[in-house]
Amino acid sequence: MFEHARNVAYHLIDPIHFMAIAACYLPGTIASLLLNLQFRTILTPSALKDAWFARFWEVYGPLNRINATENVRPLITQAKGIVLDIGPGTGEWVSLFDKENITRIYGVEPNVDHHPRLKEKITEAGLQDKYVIVPLGIQDLGEKWVKRGTVDSVVTIQCLCSIPRPREMIEDLYGYIKEGGNWVLYEHVKVKEGRWVGSYQSLINIIWPHFLGGCSLTRDIENWLKVTGSWSKVDLFQPIAEPEYQVIPHLKGVLVK
């Protein structure tokens, strides 16, 4: 009984603790921008948030990779052919791609503060001849980089939480996948209906996006993906190890068009 109560308390406090850690990186970000005379970035809220999150994630991205690799590795190796890698950030997952099955990867990453580290990870993975960084958001992708209906795999690893207009972007990405292509994902999602922890998640989400680069905790990604188009196969599920009181539950799996 005591052990259960302690576990519940830990999961309730964990998001607050994580935001507090992120907040510690803001003063250093501002100091660095001042030293580099990047006053415009400091005075532009969206640019400052991007720089702040990039500084924070440079440290916590690798730690996140350690915790999530068990779930992500068997999924990302299913990416094949021409790949859209959405929101690769600092490239923590790049080394997990199966190079033998990849023709070209387009890494759609609008946050240029992530690009230097992302390039390093691409080189370390030996993918410099196959991986192209696209410095745009999904909404600006168009057909300049890759034509619709020609992508073999879309990969989203913990990024759908922060893209703007998520339902519209999911529909847009669906259009790039060719028949027989797949969508590989590992995302944190909205708590399922009827669970008391959902109300707590919604409360936390009022301030969470301001500390975590625009990330939202309450997106109904599973439903949005299922209704966005016709899938020949849908294999999505929550990791078994996550308890019902998980404030930030995950969804993983593969959809085939």
Side-chain angles (χ1 to χ4, degrees):
M1 183 70 176
F2 175 76
E3 185 67 22
H4 177 74
R6 187 173 67 174
N7 287 336
V8 172
Y10 170 80
H11 280 83
L12 294 179
I13 295 172
D14 189 49
I16 298 173
H17 178 238
F18 200 62
M19 286 189 289
I21 294 173
C24 293
Y25 285 80
L26 179 58
T29 301
I30 294 174
S32 177
L33 293 172
L34 287 172
L35 288 172
N36 289 283
L37 305 180
Q38 294 179 277
F39 304 118
R40 180 174 295 181
T41 299
I42 295 174
L43 297 174
T44 307
S46 60
L48 176 58
K49 283 184 177 181
D50 283 346
W52 171 20
F53 183 71
R55 188 180 183 91
F56 166 67
W57 206 245
E58 185 176 349
V59 176
Y60 275 82
L63 297 177
N64 174 67
R65 184 186 189 280
I66 292 172
N67 293 331
T69 293
E70 182 179 351
N71 285 304
V72 174
R73 184 187 299 278
L75 296 171
I76 205 169
T77 54
Q78 297 182 57
K80 59 186 179 180
I82 297 175
V83 179
L84 276 180
D85 185 16
I86 308 301
T90 54
E92 298 308 322
W93 310 110
V94 170
S95 64
L96 298 184
F97 283 103
D98 185 346
K99 291 187 289 186
E100 301 303 317
N101 291 332
I102 299 296
T103 304
R104 178 76 69 181
I105 304 176
Y106 295 94
V108 183
E109 180 49 69
N111 189 342
V112 296
D113 292 299
H114 286 317
H115 290 184
R117 186 59 175 155
L118 176 55
K119 290 177 182 177
E120 291 177 10
K121 290 292 186 179
I122 291 169
T123 301
E124 290 173 8
L127 285 168
Q128 59 269 35
D129 295 330
K130 294 186 176 183
Y131 200 110
V132 179
I133 298 176
V134 181
L136 303 170
I138 300 167
Q139 68 275 14
D140 300 314
L141 191 56
E143 293 202 353
K144 176 183 177 181
W145 300 87
V146 59
K147 294 187 180 300
R148 296 180 185 276
T150 64
V151 171
D152 295 285
S153 296
V154 166
V155 175
T156 56
I157 307 295
Q158 296 182 328
C159 68
L160 294 179
C161 59
S162 57
I163 61 173
R165 304 190 305 278
R167 298 192 69 170
E168 179 182 332
M169 294 302 101
I170 287 173
E171 292 177 2
D172 199 20
L173 286 173
Y174 176 84
Y176 283 97
I177 305 174
K178 68 183 185 182
E179 293 296 321
N182 61 23
W183 187 321
V184 177
L185 70 137
Y186 177 72
E187 300 285 348
H188 65 73
V189 294
K190 178 182 180 181
V191 171
K192 292 185 180 298
E193 295 295 336
R195 294 184 179 177
W196 62 268
V197 74
S199 298
Y200 181 72
Q201 185 192 58
S202 296
L203 181 63
I204 291 292
N205 197 55
I206 294 173
I207 58 174
W208 177 271
H210 301 290
F211 286 81
L212 277 302
C215 168
S216 173
L217 297 177
T218 57
R219 293 185 171 179
D220 193 5
I221 292 171
E222 180 174 7
N223 182 56
W224 297 345
L225 281 167
K226 287 180 177 179
V227 302
T228 198
S230 178
W231 301 103
S232 63
K233 177 183 178 182
V234 176
D235 184 18
L236 300 175
F237 53 96
Q238 185 175 343
I240 297 174
E242 293 186 355
E244 63 178 9
Y245 46 81
Q246 182 94 2
V247 180
I248 309 178
H250 292 84
L251 179 74
K252 68 176 186 177
V254 180
L255 303 97
V256 179
K257 190 170 181 179

